[in-house]
């Protein structure tokens, strides 16, 4: 099965690349079709695709939370002294 | 006014700014880089650059805004040089994930996470694990993730700023995600399942 799949569509390695490429750049028409066919036949890559979407969401939220309200203010007296001594 | 006294006056102004704004600048740099040492260096460089190009500062903008613009450029330079840093174990890492004929290595096949994966995403422990997983990424990969997700820039914008090709960039994102995925699976999903 895997051998036929690879001839028809392409390898899991290539499919996983396209899955992540899609999160940054639009796929070409042909890439899109190939990926859809591949994930409809390959459970592992379908799972990888789902996990990729979860990862996107997690990373987006991770940022929102650290950015809520404003950036937390940190005092750094030593740095002040150090910079002033260099001016 | 002599050049010397002018210089001295400029340096006095910058010193006042250090006292007033260095904490804000440092907080921002720390937030962006998550690295205290790097953040300190960037802020220091910012004030030194401000001293040198003080003649270009126009009184109609706020000092803090001007300094912040310099700092933002410094942070971008920092990302740029991080992205250009080669990753030592890159190839061996990818070799392990896929077999020679480019199938998933049986040990690396993505497992079904949890049916309620969306609901558990808010749990603090998961966020903590994600932070740890991010820290483990090679600098170049982490930079790619920071630019895409934390700076919320588009792929095209990032490529332009880093002066890299789209293929170069998405391949780095791909490697980062392969590793992040695995790190989360090992440290979180396999444990709760």
């Amino acid at each position: 099965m895997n051998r036929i799949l690879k001839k028809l569509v392409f390898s899991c390695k290539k499919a996983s690349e396209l899955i992540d490429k899609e999160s940054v750049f639009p796929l070409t028409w042909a890439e899109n079709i190939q990926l859809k066919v591949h994930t409809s036949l390959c459970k592992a890559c379908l799972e990888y695709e789902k996990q990729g979407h979860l990862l996107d969401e997690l990373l987006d939220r991770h940022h929102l939370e650290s950015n809520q309200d404003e950036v937390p203010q940190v005092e750094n007296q030593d740095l002040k002294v150090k910079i002033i001594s260099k001016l | 006014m002599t050049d010397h006294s002018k210089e001295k006056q400029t340096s006095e102004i910058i010193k006042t700014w250090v006292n007033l704004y260095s904490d804000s600048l440092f907080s921002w740099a720390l937030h962006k880089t998550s690295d205290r040492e790097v953040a300190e260096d960037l802020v220091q460089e910012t004030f030194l650059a401000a001293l040198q190009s003080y003649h270009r500062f126009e009184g109609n903008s706020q000092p803090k805004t001007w300094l912040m613009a310099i700092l933002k450029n410094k942070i971008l330079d920092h990302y740029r040089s991080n992205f250009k840093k080669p990753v030592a174990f890159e190839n061996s890492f990818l070799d392990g994930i896929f077999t020679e004929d480019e199938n998933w290595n049986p040990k690396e096949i993505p497992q079904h996470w949890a049916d309620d994966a969306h609901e558990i995403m808010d749990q603090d422990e998961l966020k903590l694990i994600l932070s740890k997983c991010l820290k483990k990424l090679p600098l170049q990969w982490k930079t790619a993730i920071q630019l895409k997700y934390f700076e919320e820039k588009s792929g095209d914008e990032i490529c332009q700023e880093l002066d890299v090709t789209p293929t170069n960039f998405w391949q780095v994102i791909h490697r980062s995600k392969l590793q992040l995925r695995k790190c989360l699976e090992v440290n979180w999903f396999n444990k709760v399942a």
Side-chain angles (χ1 to χ4, degrees), chain A residues 13-48:
Chain A
K13 186 166 184 252
K14 179 82 182 150
S16 73
E17 283 175 11
L18 288 187
I19 286 165
D20 289 332
K21 181 187 175 188
E22 197 180 17
S23 69
V24 202
F25 298 105
L27 297 182
T28 64
W29 180 83
E31 284 172 334
N32 227 324
I33 301 281
Q34 281 177 305
L35 182 59
K36 286 224 166 73
V37 175
H38 185 101
T39 50
S40 70
L41 296 167
C42 174
K43 222 179 138 198
C45 287
L46 183 64
E47 210 56 63
Y48 185 75

Side-chain angles (χ1 to χ4, degrees), chain B:
Chain B
M1 212 174 351
T2 64
D3 277 358
H4 181 71
S5 63
K6 214 169 164 183
E7 248 171 55
K8 209 173 157 213
Q9 198 188 24
T10 307
S11 110
E12 285 309 312
I13 293 171
I14 304 285
K15 279 178 193 168
T16 321
W17 289 356
V18 174
N19 280 316
L20 287 171
Y21 308 120
S22 74
D23 282 342
S24 307
L25 263 64
F26 175 68
S27 304
W28 177 261
L30 186 62
H31 172 68
K32 286 293 172 190
T33 62
S34 322
D35 185 320
R36 220 180 147 86
E37 213 175 305
V38 170
E40 289 188 353
D41 285 347
L42 292 170
V43 173
Q44 183 175 314
E45 282 171 31
T46 300
F47 282 107
L48 291 176
L51 180 65
Q52 291 200 328
S53 51
Y54 181 73
H55 58 280
R56 275 186 288 175
F57 171 67
E58 290 174 19
N60 55 11
S61 79
Q62 294 290 324
K64 193 178 168 187
T65 314
W66 187 61
L67 292 168
M68 214 47 157
I70 300 177
L71 176 63
K72 282 180 179 170
N73 273 321
K74 298 270 173 212
I75 293 175
L76 198 60
D77 284 341
H78 168 73
Y79 283 141
R80 220 176 269 146
S81 80
N82 280 352
F83 192 84
K84 304 253 148 107
K85 290 202 175 111
V87 180
F89 61 91
E90 188 153 38
N91 290 325
S92 57
F93 166 73
L94 284 176
D95 283 349
I97 291 185
F98 296 98
T99 58
E100 243 171 66
D101 56 355
E102 304 199 337
N103 284 315
W104 291 98
N105 187 325
K107 277 189 296 186
E108 304 286 346
I109 291 177
Q111 301 300 314
H112 179 64
W113 281 353
D115 288 323
D116 59 349
H118 279 277
E119 278 135 52
I120 52 183
M121 272 206 302
D122 278 327
Q123 291 184 12
D124 289 336
E125 202 188 340
L126 180 56
K127 287 178 209 154
L128 206 70
I129 291 170
L130 179 67
S131 297
K132 283 187 187 160
C133 291
L134 281 168
K135 284 205 180 101
K136 282 191 215 158
L137 292 177
L139 204 50
Q140 187 201 45
W141 303 4
K142 197 171 89 184
T143 306
I145 295 283
Q146 281 171 324
L147 284 166
K148 164 151 172 41
Y149 294 95
F150 305 165
E151 296 282 327
E152 292 171 75
K153 289 179 191 287
S154 74
D156 290 330
E157 271 177 293
I158 297 168
C159 289
Q160 208 170 20
E161 284 176 357
L162 294 178
D163 192 24
V164 295
T165 63
T167 307
N168 188 332
F169 184 68
W170 70 251
Q171 281 176 345
V172 175
I173 286 284
H174 173 54
R175 282 163 211 154
S176 318
K177 283 175 127 179
L178 278 170
Q179 182 169 320
L180 279 179
R181 185 207 77 75
K182 192 179 174 190
C183 184
L184 286 178
E185 189 165 290
V186 170
N187 293 296
W188 171 260
F189 288 100
N190 282 355
K191 289 201 174 143
V192 285

